[in-house]
Short mmCIF file of all heavy atoms in Angstrom, two decimals:
data_model
loop_
_atom_site.label_atom_id
_atom_site.label_comp_id
_atom_site.label_asym_id
_atom_site.label_seq_id
_atom_site.Cartn_x
_atom_site.Cartn_y
_atom_site.Cartn_z
N ILE A 970 2.45 -13.22 9.23
CA ILE A 970 3.28 -12.08 9.64
C ILE A 970 2.38 -11.13 10.39
O ILE A 970 1.28 -10.75 9.92
CB ILE A 970 3.89 -11.40 8.40
CG1 ILE A 970 4.63 -12.38 7.52
CG2 ILE A 970 4.82 -10.24 8.84
CD1 ILE A 970 5.77 -13.12 8.17
N LEU A 1089 6.71 -6.63 -6.49
CA LEU A 1089 7.66 -6.65 -5.41
C LEU A 1089 8.97 -7.32 -5.80
O LEU A 1089 10.03 -7.00 -5.26
CB LEU A 1089 7.05 -7.35 -4.16
CG LEU A 1089 5.94 -6.57 -3.46
CD1 LEU A 1089 5.43 -7.38 -2.28
CD2 LEU A 1089 6.41 -5.21 -3.01
N ASN A 1144 23.05 -30.45 7.94
CA ASN A 1144 24.46 -30.17 7.54
C ASN A 1144 24.55 -29.11 6.45
O ASN A 1144 25.58 -28.99 5.79
CB ASN A 1144 25.13 -31.44 7.08
CG ASN A 1144 25.13 -32.53 8.14
OD1 ASN A 1144 25.37 -32.25 9.32
ND2 ASN A 1144 24.80 -33.75 7.76
#
Side-chain angles (χ1 to χ4, degrees):
I970 308 300
L1089 289 180
N1144 303 315

